[in-house]
Amino acid sequence: MSSTPRSRAALAATTLAAVGVVYGDIGTSPLYALKEVFRHDRVPLTPDNVLGVLSLVFWTLALVVSLKYVALILRADNNGEGGLIAMMALASQALRERPRLRAGLLLLGILGTAIFFGDGVITPAISVLSAVEGLEIAAPGLDRWVVPLTLLVLTALFAGQRHGTAAVGRLFGPVMLAWFITLAVLGIAPIWRHPEVLQALSPAPAAAFVLRHPGLGFIALGSVFLTVTGAEALYADLGHFSAGPIRLAWFGIAMPALVVNYFGQGALLLADPGQSGNPFYGLAPRWAVGPLIVLATAATVIASQALISAAYSVSKQATQLGYLPRLRVLHTSVRDIGQIYVPFVNWGLYGFVVLAVLMFKSSDALASAYGVAVATNMVITTLMTYFVIRYAWHLPLALCLAATAFFLCIDSAFFAANAVKVFEGGWLPLLVGGLMYTLMSTWKRGRRLMAERLRQESIALPEFLESIFANPPLRVGGTAVFLCPDPHSTPFALLHNLKHNKVLHEQNLFVTVRHHEVPWIGFDRRCQVEPLGHDCWQVTLNFGFKNEPDVPEALQSLQLLQGRGVELEPMDTSYFLSRDTVTPTFGGGMAVWREKLFAGMHRNAAGAADFLHLPTNRIVELGTKVEI
């Protein structure tokens, strides 16, 4: 059955939006990728070398982006969600019967998530810096203003995050469409004048270049890899757009425009090797450089915005899964739940981005730092995909091994070529990733130790209720909701409430919030209720890592508790929480410095009340001291 005009219009609109959000990073790579290959004559500018590099670029786009990500990995969706955390959750579910393998996989996924933040530092810096560097072409005397203007643009970008992206987000698609059209237009004329560059569509020039000059080929790979930085966004944005529009936007718009522009830059270098300093802006006539700088800056801001928004989402998902402390999350849209702003992540990222610009000062220098984090993540994605296709999809072992080995060879070659950049600046994203991994692993381990200590000191809930109702305390009207991490233990807030107030509410709910390794859990599976007698109930609320953990809404939803004798009146319901104070001790479960780090993270975490959306005027917090 043919599609209706309305469905075609909807597909076109979604595809246009995907062009703006998904392909901002990879779409701005022509600003710096090819010039990095031939920078300082690292690769001599001979016709054979130019054709060989162009062939490497084309086949890198074809194999890494088109085949690996667009054709294959987009199929590995976790209930419609993509990204490294979604893949980690999907693979770990398939390995529940193999706990040791599952633990290693979770470790690998968290490592990849941490390294993502390292990539997040370099992308805005190199993108905006490379766009503003066009001033050096338009007016050479303005070169000293490149860094200040870059910092001004980045400061405005990060400062504007708290207002949300809903308004400017509608411009992303049209601006990026104009950008890709401009890329293609700039590349057509040089290709027309030097059609011999089309020989690079064959893999033969790439193979000849690498075989003839293995050392140069290895060096070139590290720079050619810059053409596919941003490919991870294809998979990460699967939750915002279905696979269809993402594929259509790539094959119909992004890839053709990128190939034409790269080949146009190659044709320009064949005609005028002196343009190697900045072949992208060399494609434009002198009168068009100014408008091109403006358009390029807008495109790089969009590319940076997409990554910043992704950093917010990844941080929130990691928090839901228990790998980061609760962070203050502000919703910037009343209609789109995905529009969020995380101040801590925003300004932490901004600080490192500014540091990167001030340290490296040019896109050429930043290019040395770029690629290491992305290449590491691509290797991790390939390894994790193996566990998905083998253990979740149950494909034949030989096919899984062959496919994984093929892409792992490609990823490993790029990883090795980028690894040599570590001492040239690649240490910066690795340092950021290492810091994030330390924070995430420390928080996860600390929470486990804390839960074990609380369990050791707690009293079993059924036995405690049985003992107090043997000589019941005074019952007061209303409902008490006790938030407790362990459903089998008596909440410390209840113990302190009985000790100090010597009363028990008429109705008592002991609520445990559980976050699962799936993106979404519907309201039909949100709430589980177990009666404990004496108008007391054990309630378990289930949330996916993309769900908003709204406890009052979950308790009221679909009247799940009604009919079980539980009537929740908002103004008659009080929420009791324990505010734990962590005290590091010698000889505990972690090194002392990690225990102190965990204690600091726990102390500065956002309040559970805000995280769980509890009404501020109905909260009672009671303190508890925990030694780990």
Side-chain angles (χ1 to χ4, degrees):
M1 183 174 63
S2 61
S3 60
T4 64
R6 186 172 182 177
S7 65
R8 288 195 295 270
L11 177 61
T14 308
T15 301
L16 179 62
V19 169
V21 175
V22 177
Y23 296 108
D25 191 356
I26 198 171
T28 52
S29 295
L31 283 165
Y32 49 82
L34 212 58
K35 76 169 182 176
E36 176 63 17
V37 177
F38 298 103
R39 180 166 65 100
H40 302 319
D41 290 326
R42 294 162 62 179
V43 175
L45 256 172
T46 66
D48 287 342
N49 288 352
V50 170
L51 291 178
V53 168
L54 289 179
S55 183
L56 282 174
V57 168
F58 175 77
W59 286 99
T60 297
L61 291 171
L63 294 176
V64 174
V65 184
S66 300
L67 182 59
K68 178 183 174 181
Y69 282 94
V70 177
L72 299 178
I73 289 184
L74 282 183
R75 300 175 184 270
D77 68 291
N78 190 339
N79 293 327
E81 293 294 328
L84 203 54
I85 285 184
M87 178 175 281
M88 178 186 73
L90 185 64
S92 66
Q93 289 174 38
L95 293 171
R96 287 193 179 276
E97 306 300 322
R98 301 166 181 262
R100 297 183 66 179
L101 190 57
R102 181 173 180 268
L105 188 68
L106 289 172
L107 196 67
L108 190 66
I110 294 306
L111 176 62
T113 303
I115 291 175
F116 163 80
F117 288 96
D119 178 30
V121 169
I122 303 298
T123 297
I126 192 173
S127 298
V128 177
L129 197 53
S130 60
V132 178
E133 281 174 345
L135 289 173
E136 299 173 350
I137 306 293
L142 296 178
D143 56 345
R144 67 182 183 276
W145 292 100
V146 169
V147 170
L149 284 175
T150 297
L151 293 176
L152 182 64
V153 171
L154 289 170
T155 300
L157 173 63
F158 281 92
Q161 294 301 311
R162 62 190 178 90
H163 300 296
T165 59
V168 296
R170 288 189 287 270
L171 298 175
F172 283 11
V175 171
M176 288 308 298
L177 180 61
W179 171 252
F180 281 116
I181 291 173
T182 301
L183 290 182
V185 169
L186 289 175
I188 288 175
I191 294 174
W192 182 264
R193 290 192 292 268
H194 296 276
E196 62 268 24
V197 296
L198 297 178
Q199 298 175 49
L201 294 173
S202 164
F209 171 62
V210 172
L211 291 175
R212 187 169 56 247
H213 307 293
L216 291 179
F218 183 75
I219 293 172
L221 276 181
S223 301
V224 167
F225 183 73
L226 297 175
T227 63
V228 293
T229 53
E232 289 281 332
L234 293 170
Y235 184 44
D237 286 315
L238 186 58
H240 300 284
F241 310 96
S242 61
I246 292 177
R247 291 190 176 110
L248 184 59
W250 173 249
F251 289 114
I253 300 172
M255 185 178 179
L258 288 170
V259 170
V260 170
N261 191 267
Y262 283 126
F263 277 47
Q265 291 187 44
L268 176 68
L269 293 176
L270 288 177
D272 183 5
Q275 295 281 2
S276 61
N278 203 324
F280 174 79
Y281 282 108
L283 292 174
R286 177 70 63 175
W287 61 265
V289 172
L292 186 58
I293 293 172
V294 174
L295 180 59
T297 303
T300 55
V301 165
I302 290 172
S304 303
Q305 176 61 62
L307 191 140
I308 294 167
S309 299
Y312 298 157
S313 298
V314 168
S315 301
K316 184 183 176 186
Q317 292 173 20
T319 299
Q320 307 276 69
L321 290 175
Y323 288 98
L324 281 177
R326 293 183 298 270
L327 299 171
R328 183 165 172 252
V329 177
L330 303 178
H331 290 267
T332 57
S333 172
V334 296
R335 292 176 295 179
D336 185 0
I337 197 171
Q339 293 281 342
I340 61 174
Y341 168 62
V342 185
F344 177 81
V345 174
N346 184 71
W347 294 112
L349 201 59
Y350 171 75
F352 278 108
V353 169
V354 169
L355 179 65
V357 173
L358 292 176
M359 284 179 59
F360 294 96
K361 294 185 172 60
S362 72
S363 62
D364 289 344
L366 266 171
S368 298
Y370 207 21
V372 178
V374 183
T376 304
N377 256 0
M378 285 190 175
V379 172
I380 291 173
T381 298
T382 299
L383 292 173
M384 292 185 69
T385 303
Y386 168 79
F387 294 101
V388 173
I389 63 177
R390 176 58 183 157
Y391 294 102
W393 298 354
H394 305 291
L395 295 181
L397 177 61
L399 177 62
C400 296
L401 289 174
T404 303
F406 175 73
F407 288 113
L408 201 56
C409 286
I410 297 173
D411 293 339
S412 298
F414 283 119
F415 176 81
N418 280 282
V420 300
K421 299 179 181 180
V422 169
F423 296 106
E424 299 178 20
W427 56 268
L428 179 60
L430 293 181
L431 174 64
V432 175
L435 291 174
M436 285 303 302
Y437 180 78
T438 301
L439 293 176
M440 296 170 79
S441 60
T442 298
W443 181 256
K444 188 69 172 179
R445 176 65 175 156
R447 290 292 297 173
R448 187 179 297 115
L449 292 172
M450 187 174 164
E452 291 172 357
R453 181 56 59 91
L454 289 173
R455 195 176 299 115
Q456 291 169 4
E457 298 175 355
S458 65
I459 305 170
L461 181 58
E463 287 80 357
F464 178 77
L465 292 177
E466 184 179 345
S467 66
I468 65 168
F469 284 119
N471 185 18
L474 176 67
R475 306 290 289 265
V476 296
T479 301
V481 177
F482 294 93
L483 277 298
C484 45
D486 185 355
H488 306 294
S489 301
T490 304
F492 285 97
L494 172 61
L495 296 174
H496 291 306
N497 186 49
L498 285 171
K499 177 181 178 181
H500 296 292
N501 299 321
K502 298 178 175 58
V503 297
L504 194 67
H505 282 72
E506 187 178 16
Q507 296 181 137
N508 297 275
L509 303 181
F510 301 96
V511 176
T512 298
V513 175
R514 285 183 173 169
H515 294 282
H516 297 266
E517 295 171 355
V518 294
W520 305 100
I521 291 180
F523 281 117
D524 57 330
R525 296 181 292 128
R526 178 64 46 82
C527 186
Q528 297 171 343
V529 181
E530 178 186 348
L532 300 173
H534 306 283
D535 293 320
C536 297
W537 290 267
Q538 177 68 59
V539 179
T540 301
L541 299 180
N542 301 293
F543 296 95
F545 59 78
K546 293 280 283 186
N547 284 126
E548 196 68 26
D550 191 325
V551 169
E553 180 190 47
L555 293 176
Q556 294 284 357
S557 65
L558 302 178
Q559 301 179 339
L560 287 171
L561 294 172
Q562 294 186 13
R564 300 174 185 264
V566 185
E567 297 294 334
L568 290 179
E569 292 293 335
M571 297 307 297
D572 259 348
T573 301
S574 298
Y575 295 87
F576 288 81
L577 298 90
S578 294
R579 177 170 284 276
D580 306 315
T581 300
V582 177
T583 303
T585 59
F586 289 98
M590 292 191 294
V592 175
W593 70 268
R594 291 188 72 189
E595 290 186 357
K596 290 182 177 180
L597 175 61
F598 173 74
M601 294 170 70
H602 190 275
R603 183 171 56 253
N604 292 291
D610 293 334
F611 184 72
L612 300 174
H613 297 273
L614 305 182
T616 54
N617 60 341
R618 308 299 304 170
I619 297 169
V620 180
E621 284 193 327
L622 298 163
T624 303
K625 184 177 180 180
V626 183
E627 293 184 351
I628 60 171

